[in-house]
Amino acid sequence: SSVPCIEKKFTRADSTPHQAREMWSRLAAAHTSGSLYLGLSAASAASAGALYLIQSQEAEDRRRVDHELVRMRVEAKRKATAETEETLARLRAAPVLWDGIVTRCDPSLVGHAMLTGSKPGSAVEVLEERTVGEGSYYTVRDVETGKVGLHPASWVERAEG
């Protein structure tokens, strides 16, 4: 025994006019009652709130990353300074390899390990010969000031005599 079944096939053409009329009717009712505008206001407020939360989270993330970068820079500088101080303490008592004369200076060469304040013609004592990165440098002590630091090897020549 089969259950009688009502079959009516709805096509898109059959249902669209009815659905369109129903939608316009609901829209008109929502307009008249003001619920349409209340709903749009609520959706706008929710969107604005969500955007504010996203922006606040991004700002907090940016502050956190900036703080971490500053901390890392401070730590790297502290470590480099400590290493430089240890190296300088060791080099202050190091034997002199040879005496030299500074032939060229460039004040734009800066860094915690560079010799600063020397001038062309300054007498230096070469304490180490080394390669740093792509260049050769001498660790030198300025005879006049006693400062110790790196100087490009090509800018120091052996003193005669």
Side-chain angles (χ1 to χ4, degrees):
S1 64
S2 66
V3 177
C5 162
I6 302 174
E7 285 189 34
K8 177 172 179 175
K9 296 195 179 196
F10 290 97
T11 64
R12 196 166 183 86
D14 292 337
S15 62
T16 302
H18 174 69
Q19 288 176 343
R21 276 193 304 275
E22 188 176 318
M23 181 185 71
W24 282 111
S25 172
R26 288 183 182 178
L27 190 59
H31 168 71
T32 304
S33 70
S35 63
L36 170 67
Y37 303 106
L38 180 62
L40 290 174
S41 297
S44 294
S47 296
L51 289 173
Y52 174 78
L53 290 175
I54 290 168
Q55 183 182 15
S56 296
Q57 185 61 45
E58 286 175 351
E60 179 60 30
D61 291 347
R62 223 177 355 264
R63 279 191 294 275
R64 193 175 20 258
V65 167
D66 287 346
H67 178 74
E68 182 63 17
L69 286 174
V70 167
R71 188 198 64 73
M72 288 170 65
R73 266 191 238 120
V74 167
E75 179 61 22
K77 185 174 182 176
R78 186 203 59 75
K79 184 178 176 185
T81 301
E83 288 173 359
T84 299
E85 288 302 317
E86 289 172 12
T87 301
L88 291 177
R90 178 180 55 82
L91 290 172
R92 282 190 187 96
V96 176
L97 299 178
W98 48 273
D99 292 323
I101 301 292
V102 173
T103 59
R104 183 173 167 207
C105 293
D106 184 353
S108 67
L109 288 177
V110 294
H112 63 276
M114 298 302 293
L115 178 65
T116 57
S118 62
K119 301 174 216 141
S122 295
V124 293
E125 299 170 327
V126 176
L127 307 174
E128 280 185 333
E129 298 174 347
R130 59 194 230 183
T131 301
V132 179
E134 295 179 12
S136 293
Y137 290 85
Y138 295 146
T139 302
V140 298
R141 178 175 32 237
D142 188 307
V143 173
E144 185 180 323
T145 65
K147 288 182 179 179
V148 176
L150 294 177
H151 205 75
S154 60
W155 296 359
V156 177
E157 63 182 32
R158 287 184 185 268
E160 294 180 20

